[in-house]
Amino acid sequence: MKPLFHPALVNDPFGDPGLYIDFLFARRALLFDLGDLRQLPSRKLLRVSHIFVSHTHVDHFIGFDQLVRVCLGRDKRINLYGPPGFVDQVWHRLAAYTWNLVQNYPTDFTVVAAVARPDGKVMVAELDCRKGFMPEQVRAEALHDGVLLDEQAFRVRSAFLDHRIPCLAFALEEKNHVNIMKNRLAELGLTVGPWLTELKEAVLRGEADEVVCPVTPEPFLGIGRWYEDFAQMTEEEVRGLLERAWRYQPAQEGS
């Protein structure tokens, strides 16, 4: 069964920490720690939706500026999670630059920074490019069992460690995994397409079998497509065929 995630180190084992998690069936990725990102092409950085920073030593956070540079001027919303003090550190990094021209951008780039606290809460602030990245919509949210991100297919859980400073550890947990066997699709006369994504999501949501997926392939064909006559048979016809097959016993060798 193919895994949902494809993890890869951003740098070599002796370089800055960074783990890039690519999604198999979506143009999306997660990033754990923000060290030197020069090994990642822009197209990969633009796939990142959520970033989890264990702490802000320079080798874990120096890549933040490159991330901002790549996303600037694009319609993108990116979520970052870090230890206590993280929102202030994100804001101070952004405040080091001058943003007097960003009002001319046709799109808005938003950084959503969240701080995990030991008291079981998450402090969240939104920083919009067009507003000079000033922290707004500051709010507190409950942190249940350390879960920072909980989606249909996976969750990211956090725990506090002692690194002489507050430090976070993260666990990426895949939930139920749905895999489609292409040979079974072929046997049913079905073709792959976007409707399979809808089917998988319905299975993960636990919906009943009679739910109809809104997206179907064109043409939508079943196994009957391969028969000249696929009409429904009566019970009498079935019994008759079974009796004929039972009476026909091929001769045994040597008899």
Side-chain angles (χ1 to χ4, degrees):
M1 182 178 293
K2 293 183 179 179
L4 176 63
F5 307 111
H6 285 228
L9 290 175
V10 176
N11 301 297
D12 63 64
F14 298 100
D16 285 1
L19 181 64
Y20 186 87
I21 308 290
D22 205 2
F23 283 57
L24 180 61
F25 299 110
R27 296 183 60 82
R28 181 186 176 189
L30 305 177
L31 190 59
F32 289 85
D33 272 333
L34 267 175
D36 187 353
L37 299 178
R38 287 177 295 178
Q39 298 299 321
L40 284 180
S42 296
R43 61 179 177 82
K44 284 195 171 183
L45 276 178
L46 291 172
R47 297 176 68 167
V48 174
S49 61
H50 295 74
I51 301 174
F52 303 87
V53 179
S54 60
H55 61 290
T56 51
H57 281 164
V58 64
D59 57 332
H60 289 254
F61 196 48
I62 193 65
F64 178 72
D65 289 34
Q66 182 182 350
L67 174 76
V68 172
R69 184 66 187 90
V70 170
C71 295
L72 203 61
R74 301 177 186 270
D75 187 15
K76 185 167 180 61
R77 183 182 180 92
I78 197 161
N79 299 269
L80 293 97
Y81 301 84
F86 186 64
V87 170
D88 288 338
Q89 290 169 306
V90 169
W91 176 51
H92 290 149
R93 295 286 295 182
L94 293 168
Y97 298 99
T98 303
W99 304 108
N100 63 307
L101 302 178
V102 293
Q103 292 80 8
N104 300 325
Y105 288 157
T107 57
D108 197 11
F109 167 48
T110 301
V111 174
V112 182
V115 169
R117 302 193 328 194
D119 63 0
K121 292 184 179 180
V122 177
M123 299 301 299
V124 183
E126 297 192 12
L127 303 93
D128 293 326
C129 173
R130 285 181 174 177
K131 298 178 181 178
F133 291 109
M134 292 296 295
E136 294 183 334
Q137 302 187 39
V138 180
R139 60 190 183 274
E141 299 178 356
L143 181 62
H144 299 291
D145 199 22
V147 176
L148 294 173
L149 180 63
D150 194 358
E151 297 194 4
Q152 185 171 278
F154 70 95
R155 69 173 61 90
V156 176
R157 196 185 303 274
S158 64
F160 278 91
L161 302 178
D162 183 8
H163 192 45
R164 297 184 180 179
I165 56 172
C167 179
L168 291 175
F170 305 105
L172 174 61
E173 303 172 354
E174 183 177 2
K175 298 181 182 178
N176 294 331
H177 188 92
V178 179
N179 189 49
I180 304 297
M181 301 175 65
K182 291 185 178 180
N183 62 316
R184 294 293 294 160
L185 290 177
E187 291 173 6
L188 295 172
L190 302 175
T191 57
V192 298
W195 70 277
L196 285 177
T197 300
E198 296 289 332
L199 175 62
K200 291 178 181 179
E201 292 177 352
V203 172
L204 291 173
R205 288 193 298 266
E207 295 182 356
D209 292 343
E210 64 267 19
V211 174
V212 178
C213 295
V215 180
T216 57
E218 181 60 39
F220 186 80
L221 303 175
I223 192 171
R225 167 67 174 78
W226 310 106
Y227 293 83
E228 293 183 0
D229 184 1
F230 201 64
Q232 181 69 36
M233 299 181 67
T234 65
E235 291 187 13
E236 289 74 15
E237 290 175 320
V238 174
R239 291 195 182 102
L241 290 172
L242 291 174
E243 289 175 0
R244 286 171 54 190
W246 179 258
R247 287 196 299 268
Y248 173 71
Q249 297 292 336
Q252 299 294 325
E253 292 185 8
S255 60

